Amino acid sequence: MSDSINNINWYPGHMKKTRELIRENLKMVDLVVELVDSRIPVSSRNPIIDELTQGKPRLILLNKADLADPAETERWKAALLDTGKASKGAGNSAGVVSVLAMDSRSGDNLKAFYKVLEGIQAEVNARRQRNRPLRMMIVGVPNVGKSSFINRLAGKRSAKTGDKPGVTRGKQWIALENGMQLLDTPGILWPKFEDRQVGLNLAFCGSIKDEVMNAQDLGFELIKVLGTRYPDNLKERYKLDEVSDDALTNMEAIATKRGFLMPGRRIDYERTGRTVLDEFRTGKLGRITLEPAPAKE
Ligand SMILES: Nc1nc2c(ncn2[C@@H]2O[C@H](COP(=O)(O)OP(=O)(O)O)[C@@H](O)[C@H]2O)c(=O)[nH]1
Ligand SMILES: [Mg+2]
């Protein structure tokens, strides 16, 4: 289900257009649901999301939680809620109202999501003269799981509703099981490419094309991060006697254990890198969060 959008380069003109489109869509919704990758909650966030959604309550979903370290996800939930509250602007800016872990593949935690929505609906109703179903849109960078999540919500019960008065022509609303409405097209945001580590993190998670770096180098960079953050996972998965401070030593030990050798017993770095990347992405290396939650003050 990978998106062709991943091939898009985000030029300034492109960003401007996307920003305008999201602003237009924002006028029609009561709530923004921002999807983030639990394994890289910083790198998978758009830098201008706070500015873009100002004035709208926002719900952050730490998606792909099934692949992330549960203890880190708990810490991230608290940290993102704190910063979301701190980033509240002046006036009516609502900011982050809730942060939830989510697995869009299994639909795990969907109940909690609906429960939060109902709380927000009650607040919105209290402010309004006339009650009407909550409307929301989903935003996030490519590959974070927007389509998967929408499919989860839409399920079998879903019925696409046609144009409604006051709704821009051509916009489709998906009716959720509780009667609320979801804009069927998510807002696709760009990640912040300025930082090398952000680019690496997105590539580790398969969120940007592998061509940005060959598997040998990218795999090496991942082994470097894992050696510091999750040495036990490396040790266990590849039956290493010990994990070294030196990433190259670890890479060679993995290759040797797996028999990734070429004629003359030369190390096949390419295959080793590809294997570690693949086993990280599919969760075979365990539940891993690459970006640690900030320490509590
Ligand atoms: N393990 C896991 N994979 C997910 C989850 N959500 C999405 N994916 C996978 O991530 C990839 C990108 O998902 P997609 O919904 O196309 O992302 P989009 O670009 O934001 O629409 C697909 O291979 C999905 O199967 C999740 O919660 N857990
Ligand atoms: Mg999609």
PDB file of all heavy atoms in Angstrom, residues 60-72:
ATOM      1  N   ILE A  60      -3.035  13.549  18.904  1.00  0.00           N
ATOM      2  CA  ILE A  60      -1.858  12.912  18.307  1.00  0.00           C
ATOM      3  C   ILE A  60      -1.957  11.404  18.478  1.00  0.00           C
ATOM      4  O   ILE A  60      -2.202  10.911  19.584  1.00  0.00           O
ATOM      5  CB  ILE A  60      -0.547  13.421  18.952  1.00  0.00           C
ATOM      6  CG1 ILE A  60      -0.376  14.931  18.709  1.00  0.00           C
ATOM      7  CG2 ILE A  60       0.660  12.671  18.381  1.00  0.00           C
ATOM      8  CD1 ILE A  60       0.897  15.520  19.337  1.00  0.00           C
ATOM      9  N   LEU A  61      -1.776  10.665  17.389  1.00  0.00           N
ATOM     10  CA  LEU A  61      -1.732   9.211  17.463  1.00  0.00           C
ATOM     11  C   LEU A  61      -0.316   8.734  17.216  1.00  0.00           C
ATOM     12  O   LEU A  61       0.266   9.010  16.168  1.00  0.00           O
ATOM     13  CB  LEU A  61      -2.670   8.580  16.425  1.00  0.00           C
ATOM     14  CG  LEU A  61      -4.153   8.872  16.562  1.00  0.00           C
ATOM     15  CD1 LEU A  61      -4.945   8.071  15.531  1.00  0.00           C
ATOM     16  CD2 LEU A  61      -4.654   8.550  17.967  1.00  0.00           C
ATOM     17  N   LEU A  62       0.249   8.039  18.200  1.00  0.00           N
ATOM     18  CA  LEU A  62       1.558   7.414  18.031  1.00  0.00           C
ATOM     19  C   LEU A  62       1.306   6.085  17.339  1.00  0.00           C
ATOM     20  O   LEU A  62       1.043   5.067  17.981  1.00  0.00           O
ATOM     21  CB  LEU A  62       2.228   7.222  19.393  1.00  0.00           C
ATOM     22  CG  LEU A  62       2.760   8.485  20.057  1.00  0.00           C
ATOM     23  CD1 LEU A  62       2.938   8.300  21.548  1.00  0.00           C
ATOM     24  CD2 LEU A  62       4.099   8.893  19.419  1.00  0.00           C
ATOM     25  N   ASN A  63       1.351   6.123  16.019  1.00  0.00           N
ATOM     26  CA  ASN A  63       0.994   4.940  15.231  1.00  0.00           C
ATOM     27  C   ASN A  63       2.169   3.955  15.133  1.00  0.00           C
ATOM     28  O   ASN A  63       3.287   4.289  15.464  1.00  0.00           O
ATOM     29  CB  ASN A  63       0.541   5.387  13.836  1.00  0.00           C
ATOM     30  CG  ASN A  63      -0.213   4.298  13.122  1.00  0.00           C
ATOM     31  OD1 ASN A  63      -1.034   3.587  13.714  1.00  0.00           O
ATOM     32  ND2 ASN A  63       0.054   4.127  11.830  1.00  0.00           N
ATOM     33  N   LYS A  64       1.862   2.772  14.676  1.00  0.00           N
ATOM     34  CA  LYS A  64       2.844   1.678  14.588  1.00  0.00           C
ATOM     35  C   LYS A  64       3.394   1.367  15.980  1.00  0.00           C
ATOM     36  O   LYS A  64       4.565   0.993  16.137  1.00  0.00           O
ATOM     37  CB  LYS A  64       3.986   1.991  13.600  1.00  0.00           C
ATOM     38  CG  LYS A  64       3.470   2.419  12.220  1.00  0.00           C
ATOM     39  CD  LYS A  64       4.515   2.358  11.145  1.00  0.00           C
ATOM     40  CE  LYS A  64       3.956   2.942   9.831  1.00  0.00           C
ATOM     41  NZ  LYS A  64       4.847   2.794   8.696  1.00  0.00           N
ATOM     42  N   ALA A  65       2.553   1.566  16.976  1.00  0.00           N
ATOM     43  CA  ALA A  65       2.957   1.314  18.361  1.00  0.00           C
ATOM     44  C   ALA A  65       3.324  -0.152  18.564  1.00  0.00           C
ATOM     45  O   ALA A  65       4.084  -0.484  19.475  1.00  0.00           O
ATOM     46  CB  ALA A  65       1.845   1.726  19.323  1.00  0.00           C
ATOM     47  N   ASP A  66       2.804  -1.019  17.714  1.00  0.00           N
ATOM     48  CA  ASP A  66       3.142  -2.451  17.800  1.00  0.00           C
ATOM     49  C   ASP A  66       4.622  -2.702  17.533  1.00  0.00           C
ATOM     50  O   ASP A  66       5.163  -3.726  17.950  1.00  0.00           O
ATOM     51  CB  ASP A  66       2.285  -3.257  16.804  1.00  0.00           C
ATOM     52  CG  ASP A  66       2.374  -2.722  15.373  1.00  0.00           C
ATOM     53  OD1 ASP A  66       2.150  -1.512  15.176  1.00  0.00           O
ATOM     54  OD2 ASP A  66       2.681  -3.523  14.461  1.00  0.00           O
ATOM     55  N   LEU A  67       5.287  -1.770  16.839  1.00  0.00           N
ATOM     56  CA  LEU A  67       6.704  -1.939  16.521  1.00  0.00           C
ATOM     57  C   LEU A  67       7.614  -1.193  17.502  1.00  0.00           C
ATOM     58  O   LEU A  67       8.833  -1.383  17.503  1.00  0.00           O
ATOM     59  CB  LEU A  67       6.982  -1.428  15.096  1.00  0.00           C
ATOM     60  CG  LEU A  67       6.275  -2.171  13.955  1.00  0.00           C
ATOM     61  CD1 LEU A  67       6.507  -1.450  12.624  1.00  0.00           C
ATOM     62  CD2 LEU A  67       6.757  -3.620  13.855  1.00  0.00           C
ATOM     63  N   ALA A  68       7.027  -0.330  18.313  1.00  0.00           N
ATOM     64  CA  ALA A  68       7.829   0.535  19.191  1.00  0.00           C
ATOM     65  C   ALA A  68       7.937  -0.027  20.605  1.00  0.00           C
ATOM     66  O   ALA A  68       7.143  -0.868  21.023  1.00  0.00           O
ATOM     67  CB  ALA A  68       7.219   1.929  19.217  1.00  0.00           C
ATOM     68  N   ASP A  69       8.918   0.464  21.321  1.00  0.00           N
ATOM     69  CA  ASP A  69       9.179   0.099  22.716  1.00  0.00           C
ATOM     70  C   ASP A  69       8.041   0.658  23.590  1.00  0.00           C
ATOM     71  O   ASP A  69       7.868   1.874  23.669  1.00  0.00           O
ATOM     72  CB  ASP A  69      10.534   0.736  23.082  1.00  0.00           C
ATOM     73  CG  ASP A  69      10.984   0.447  24.497  1.00  0.00           C
ATOM     74  OD1 ASP A  69      10.123   0.129  25.344  1.00  0.00           O
ATOM     75  OD2 ASP A  69      12.201   0.572  24.743  1.00  0.00           O
ATOM     76  N   PRO A  70       7.265  -0.218  24.226  1.00  0.00           N
ATOM     77  CA  PRO A  70       6.078   0.256  24.961  1.00  0.00           C
ATOM     78  C   PRO A  70       6.397   1.262  26.072  1.00  0.00           C
ATOM     79  O   PRO A  70       5.637   2.205  26.285  1.00  0.00           O
ATOM     80  CB  PRO A  70       5.475  -1.018  25.568  1.00  0.00           C
ATOM     81  CG  PRO A  70       6.140  -2.151  24.892  1.00  0.00           C
ATOM     82  CD  PRO A  70       7.417  -1.678  24.300  1.00  0.00           C
ATOM     83  N   ALA A  71       7.540   1.079  26.741  1.00  0.00           N
ATOM     84  CA  ALA A  71       7.904   2.006  27.822  1.00  0.00           C
ATOM     85  C   ALA A  71       8.182   3.395  27.254  1.00  0.00           C
ATOM     86  O   ALA A  71       7.770   4.413  27.816  1.00  0.00           O
ATOM     87  CB  ALA A  71       9.125   1.483  28.578  1.00  0.00           C
ATOM     88  N   GLU A  72       8.863   3.427  26.108  1.00  0.00           N
ATOM     89  CA  GLU A  72       9.138   4.716  25.457  1.00  0.00           C
ATOM     90  C   GLU A  72       7.837   5.362  24.966  1.00  0.00           C
ATOM     91  O   GLU A  72       7.667   6.580  25.057  1.00  0.00           O
ATOM     92  CB  GLU A  72      10.096   4.544  24.271  1.00  0.00           C
ATOM     93  CG  GLU A  72      11.561   4.336  24.647  1.00  0.00           C
ATOM     94  CD  GLU A  72      12.225   5.614  25.162  1.00  0.00           C
ATOM     95  OE1 GLU A  72      11.544   6.642  25.371  1.00  0.00           O
ATOM     96  OE2 GLU A  72      13.451   5.573  25.387  1.00  0.00           O
TER      97      GLU A  72
END
